[in-house]
Amino acid sequence: MLLSQALDTLHSFSPDNLSTLSELLDPKLIEECLQDTGTVTLRKRRLPMELMVWSVVGMALFRNSPMSQVVNQLDIVLPGKRPFVAPSAVVQARQRLGVEPVKAVFEKTQALWRDKTPSPHWNGLTLLGVDGVVWRTPDTPENSQAFARTGTKTTTSDYPQLRMVCQMELTSHLVVSSAFDCISNSEVTLTAELIDKTPDHSLTIFDKGFYALGLLHRWQKTGEERHWMIPLKKGARYEVLRKISSGHELVELPISPQARTKWSDAPATMTARLITKMVNGKRVQILTSMTDPKRYPAADIVDLYAHRWEIELGYREMKQHLLHSQLTVRSKKPDTVKQELWGVLLAYNLLRFLMGQMAYSLKGVEPYQISFKGAAIYLISQLQMLPMVSPGNIPRVIGQIIGIAAAFVLPIRRERHYPRAVKRRPQKYAVRRPRKKNASQLN
């Protein structure tokens, strides 16, 4: 039985905790995405396009296995004279599949996940975070031509790199949208691609590196109640329109002519709310589009900014736990590199959705309180065995997944007692140091 067929049998099994898994993994959804992107199989192949989507997801789920083994391991090869397929056939099938179908599957599935996964709100707003991350690609001529390298006047990076910007729901860690391109593109440029995909009635928390008033103005004017929050830039100019209370002001910020040229709809000035608070002896200033002090209390806003670190933890889960700290992607051509990254986001959302269902089966547990590393190892092993389970036993297997949820609940997070710092990466081998010359050797 194929993996997609095994998952499709979940249509007949709909407990409250996992009623949407079949909707997410329905093969009909993948076929719909293939049709929408114009990707069709003209003749019968052993690796049809609808099943190759799962191979791209499997690249992330089974990071340490070669691609040909992933295809055979997931049992997505149609019957033929040989039980296995050649590695070259897998490469050709991925090239025929392209980037757009995998991207379309990601976008449709994340919408299903968010609609079916309950997420806490703050004053009627969904908490979202936006931040950037860098991926390395293999040093091939194609990747070197398509992607740039970071460096200084004297040195450059050893690998071509991509810059990715993601928008993440901060309680479930589900990736809502993403944009990535050559490392030479700035995070602000890529973030502009996420504006139209941002859900209404949401609050997006930005890092200080995203301070661009033209971007923030367009963000809040597109859609309904799309609010933002960001630290005030050091040395930023503003005029106080009204002082609401101590450390709480309504301000007007000028938008530079250069910014108005880049952002054609940007006005000369924009109004925002500035909140100042002392946190551990440090003065913190937060700028936000939530100008209504009655609906959005100032006492909660500064503390709310600490939730921005959830997206940093999400990137750590992708790179360290899901991909086993193998920071260079597998693919050797630009299109398959992008295809692989969409597969990573899709695989991460798949695991995070299951962990969300595990968390909500327990009382008082949020999805971010589930250990990603421990739960991911368990869930991947269960997905790997699912094709060999008879359809009648699949509800029992799914019930076991939900039943073991309590074993992956993390303890309460402790406050940081040491400053943040970049630490030296541990070395596998001892470093040889030069011997000190004594006086007799000098003579």
Side-chain angles (χ1 to χ4, degrees), residues 277-296:
K277 185 177 180 180
M278 297 298 293
V279 179
N280 297 327
K282 184 179 180 180
R283 187 167 177 258
V284 178
Q285 290 185 295
I286 298 295
L287 203 65
T288 178
S289 62
M290 299 180 292
T291 55
D292 188 351
K294 294 182 178 180
R295 182 176 177 182
Y296 308 111

Side-chain angles (χ1 to χ4, degrees), residues 189-315:
T189 302
L190 293 174
T191 304
E193 300 181 23
L194 308 183
I195 295 178
D196 294 333
K197 302 175 184 178
T198 300
D200 294 334
H201 309 288
S202 61
L203 169 60
T204 303
I205 304 176
F206 290 97
D207 187 13
K208 60 183 179 181
F210 293 84
Y211 192 92
L213 297 182
L215 170 70
L216 298 176
H217 175 267
R218 182 176 295 181
W219 195 279
Q220 71 184 71
K221 293 301 181 182
T222 305
E224 184 178 354
E225 284 194 320
R226 297 185 184 181
H227 291 293
W228 50 263
M229 178 192 303
I230 193 170
L232 181 67
K233 183 179 180 180
K234 186 177 180 180
R237 296 186 299 113
Y238 61 88
E239 180 182 350
V240 179
L241 299 178
R242 179 166 60 94
K243 187 171 183 179
I244 302 173
S245 62
S246 177
H248 186 192
E249 301 165 324
L250 194 66
V251 300
E252 185 179 67
L253 301 108
I255 301 179
S256 66
Q258 295 83 359
R260 295 201 301 272
T261 302
K262 181 178 180 181
W263 307 92
S264 57
D265 56 341
T269 61
M270 63 179 294
T271 303
R273 190 170 161 205
L274 179 62
I275 300 170
T276 305
K277 185 177 180 180
M278 297 298 293
V279 179
N280 297 327
K282 184 179 180 180
R283 187 167 177 258
V284 178
Q285 290 185 295
I286 298 295
L287 203 65
T288 178
S289 62
M290 299 180 292
T291 55
D292 188 351
K294 294 182 178 180
R295 182 176 177 182
Y296 308 111
D300 299 337
I301 289 179
V302 176
D303 296 335
L304 197 65
Y305 184 77
H307 290 276
R308 189 196 72 81
W309 292 106
E310 294 298 330
I311 191 171
E312 300 280 4
L313 298 178
Y315 285 142

